[in-house]
Structure formats: C-alpha cells, structure tokens
C-alpha cells in the first residue's frame, strides 16, 4: 500500500505555484490567455527538474514523503526565502537544513536594541562558532577586552583555555563553569558544522595546547545552557552577581547573552 501523502504540503505547493510569474511568450506577452494564475504544473516541474507526474501527486497529497533533494529542488524553483523554505521542509515532515555557516553581521535592529540597553544591561553576541561578533559598551566595561589577536582571537572557547583574560574577572568556580560550558558548546558547534575548517582547526589547536581543554572534552558533555548565574569582578565596583539569559537568532545563528544585575543585599 502506498505511503500516506502530505495534504498540507500539497496545499502549500498549489498556493506557491499560483504566485509564480508565467514565462514570457514569444510575442512578449505573459500568458494572457491562461485561465488560472501562476505557472502550470508542467512548467514548475521543469524548473525543479522533477517529473510532472510526481509533482502532481505531491500537490494532490498522494505522493510518499519527498526526499530532501526533492524539497531542495522545490525551494529553489519557488525561490523561497529561508523562512519559507524551512516551512516547506516541516510540512513534508523533515527538519529544515542547517546553515552552512553563521552570519558575520548582527541585525541592525538588534544592534540598536543593544545600544538602548547600554546603561543598564551588558550584552554580548557570539555566533554559532563561538566567535564574539558584538558587545555593547556596558559589556566592554564589565568584561574588558575579551577579544585577542590571531586566528582564534575572537573565539570564546579558545580564549578561555589559552589566555588569562577571563581569570581577571571570574573566581575559581566561575572559571570551572566557563571551561565546562565552553567545551560542551564547542562539541555542539562541531556537530552543527561538522565540515567547517575553522572549527576543526580550532579544535585541533586546543587539543595540542591545553590540558584543561582535553580533560573537559573527555567528559563528553554537549552545550545546552541558556540561563546561568555568574559572579563577575567589575573593575570599579568589585564583585557583582548577574543572572544571564541566552537569546537565539536562528537565521543568523547568533546568540545574545544578557547580563542582569542581581540586587545587592543591604547590610
């Protein structure tokens, strides 16, 4: 018996096809005698390089679950945005594709939000490779110059295990927490970007240089920390307690860490 189809997927494909611009005819007109808007099934199938018979069954909800290659071809044929493509995959019962690499630019609106939060909330942004891509002024005042030089100077994990920068504002407990989380988050990053030469090089460099990294890596933990408590030594105010929250921009694979100061107990 044939596998059940995906009627919601078929409805989505029909609506998208109706929105497509018909090809220009030899006389320069765009399908003026068509009875329905958009592309015909034959035309869409040709653009996607699949058979019209199979595409028809997809629209009618009679086809088995389409492969990821078929879904990728349909996304290209329909010229879908990332959000529209991800929706297509989910309708077909598939996880959306992972990005090939994180974006290098923070959304302008989020940069403005960071600036507005500046007087009250330190904010740092790192990408899916654990590279710092932005900080607001309050975070720079609190954490100092966490960015260094060299190939991995922006990488939190590399800096945590190869420099003394974090030891300037974290106590022993905080450093142990950082090492544990850094190794676990790097494992998650490598699983998401397994063929990324930057991450592979960083990993090999840490294995060669840091016994502390090798010890934490052997624990096999995978990063999933989204809320945490941190005690940080402020350069002028001394030890301060913060609750941190991680917010994710999945399209660009950026992580925003917000530091909220805990009220200090009165003596």
């Amino acid at each position: 018996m044939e596998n059940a189809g995906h009627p919601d997927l078929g409805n989505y494909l029909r609506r998208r096809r109706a929105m497509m611009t018909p090809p220009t005819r030899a006389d320069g007109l765009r399908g003026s005698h068509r009875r329905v808007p958009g592309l015909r099934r034959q035309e869409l199938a040709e653009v996607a390089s699949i058979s019209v018979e199979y595409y028809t069954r997809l629209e009618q909800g009679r086809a088995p679950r389409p492969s990821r290659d078929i879904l990728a071809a349909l996304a290209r044929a329909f010229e879908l945005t990332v959000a529209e493509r991800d929706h297509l995959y989910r309708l077909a019962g598939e996880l959306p594709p992972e990005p090939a690499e994180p974006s290098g630019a923070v959304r302008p609106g989020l940069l403005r939000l960071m600036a507005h939060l500046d007087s009250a909330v330190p904010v740092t942004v790192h990408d899916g490779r654990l590279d710092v891509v932005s900080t607001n002024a309050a975070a720079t005042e609190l954490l100092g110059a966490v960015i260094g030089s060299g190939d991995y100077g922006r990488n939190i994990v590399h800096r945590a295990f190869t420099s003394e920068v974090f030891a300037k504002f974290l106590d022993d407990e905080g450093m142990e927490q950082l090492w544990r989380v850094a190794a676990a988050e790097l494992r998650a990053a490598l699983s998401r970007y397994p063929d990324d030469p930057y991450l592979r090089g960083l990993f090999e460099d840490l294995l060669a240089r840091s016994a502390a990294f090798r010890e934490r890596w052997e624990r096999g933990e995978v990063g999933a920390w989204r809320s945490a408590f941190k005690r940080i030594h402020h350069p002028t105010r001394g030890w301060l307690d913060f609750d941190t929250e991680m917010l994710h921009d999945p399209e660009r694979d950026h992580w925003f860490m917000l530091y909220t100061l805990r009220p200090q107990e009165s003596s």
Side-chain angles (χ1 to χ4, degrees):
M1 182 177 179
E2 188 176 76
N3 294 331
H6 298 267
D8 290 340
L9 173 63
N11 292 334
Y12 185 66
L13 295 176
R14 285 195 298 275
R15 289 195 300 271
R16 296 300 310 193
R17 181 167 60 84
M19 296 167 59
M20 298 288 287
T21 302
T24 303
R25 299 184 341 192
D27 57 9
L29 300 177
R30 288 188 180 273
S32 58
H33 298 295
R34 291 174 181 246
R35 290 177 294 178
V36 293
L39 296 184
R40 298 186 177 97
R41 285 173 177 162
Q42 175 70 44
E43 293 166 339
L44 194 284
E46 290 176 356
V47 175
S49 299
I50 61 178
S51 73
V52 66
E53 292 81 9
Y54 179 69
Y55 178 77
T56 299
R57 291 165 64 203
L58 280 175
E59 278 201 359
Q60 294 173 347
R62 298 186 297 109
R65 180 172 176 167
S67 69
R68 297 182 69 84
D69 287 342
I70 291 292
L71 293 172
L74 290 171
R76 290 191 297 269
F78 285 118
E79 300 178 348
L80 300 182
T81 66
V82 172
E84 292 166 345
R85 179 206 65 189
D86 291 354
H87 182 62
L88 172 71
Y89 273 73
R90 293 189 183 98
L91 288 176
E94 291 282 345
L95 291 174
E98 296 284 4
E101 61 181 16
S103 172
V106 181
R107 294 181 189 278
L110 291 174
L111 287 175
R112 289 192 290 273
L113 175 62
M114 290 170 63
H116 285 307
L117 291 173
D118 211 6
S119 61
V121 182
V123 184
T124 64
V125 187
H126 65 265
D127 65 17
R129 291 188 178 118
L130 290 306
D131 276 358
V132 176
V133 293
S134 186
T135 60
N136 66 359
T140 301
E141 179 187 5
L142 175 66
L143 305 176
V146 296
I147 298 174
S149 58
D151 293 339
Y152 307 119
R154 288 184 170 272
N155 190 268
I156 299 168
V157 184
H158 197 271
R159 295 284 282 167
F161 286 105
T162 64
S163 78
E164 298 296 325
V165 62
F166 291 102
K168 295 177 181 178
F169 54 82
L170 294 176
D171 57 16
D172 291 343
E173 183 178 347
M175 281 302 303
E176 179 55 40
Q177 179 194 60
L178 173 63
W179 282 339
R180 179 187 176 194
V181 172
E185 292 285 0
L186 179 59
R187 190 182 297 274
L190 283 165
S191 68
R192 187 170 195 189
Y193 302 110
D195 300 319
D196 190 308
Y198 175 84
L199 283 175
R200 298 308 306 182
L202 183 150
F203 173 66
E204 295 297 335
D205 190 71
L206 285 173
L207 282 180
R209 295 180 57 178
S210 174
F213 174 76
R214 292 192 296 271
E215 192 275 324
R216 273 80 183 174
W217 184 261
E218 287 301 318
R219 298 181 185 180
E221 294 180 299
V222 181
W225 288 268
R226 301 296 172 255
S227 302
F229 164 77
K230 293 183 184 293
R231 171 162 287 183
I232 299 175
H233 191 271
H234 190 279
T236 60
R237 299 171 62 186
W239 290 102
L240 300 175
D241 293 341
F242 290 88
D243 291 305
T244 63
E245 289 293 332
M246 299 284 287
L247 306 177
H248 190 217
D249 175 1
E251 184 174 338
R252 301 196 178 198
D253 197 11
H254 287 169
W255 292 93
F256 293 73
M257 179 175 284
L258 287 75
Y259 294 75
T260 304
L261 182 65
R262 286 187 176 183
Q264 291 185 301
E265 297 181 1
S266 56
S267 55

